[in-house]
Amino acid sequence: MKTVEQLKTRIQELGRDAAQFSQQAVDISQSNREQSKTLMQRAKEASKRCQLLIQELKRQNT
């Protein structure tokens, strides 16, 4: 089990990754649809992992 600080740090990293992937997908959506779809999928996966860690953090704080 990770410490609260480790969870917070990882949550921030995953949130940043999700935002970057999403922005990159939007930026190239007109020129490369396939790569845009891949980046959006990566953003979605990072977001899901982030949400799971947020739930874990909430469990540890209760």
Side-chain angles (χ1 to χ4, degrees), residues 5-32:
E5 286 305 314
Q6 288 173 323
L7 285 172
K8 287 180 181 180
T9 300
R10 188 65 180 135
I11 288 166
Q12 288 176 337
E13 291 170 354
L14 287 170
R16 196 175 311 116
D17 288 349
Q20 286 177 337
F21 290 142
S22 179
Q23 185 60 53
Q24 289 173 356
V26 169
D27 291 345
I28 67 161
S29 64
Q30 296 298 319
S31 61
N32 190 337

Side-chain angles (χ1 to χ4, degrees), residues 14-15 17-23 25 36-52:
L14 287 170
D17 288 349
Q20 286 177 337
F21 290 142
S22 179
Q23 185 60 53
S36 178
K37 284 172 59 176
T38 301
L39 286 167
M40 275 300 190
Q41 182 63 36
R42 290 180 70 185
K44 186 176 178 180
E45 290 168 2
S47 180
K48 283 182 181 180
R49 288 193 309 268
C50 185
Q51 289 300 315
L52 289 172

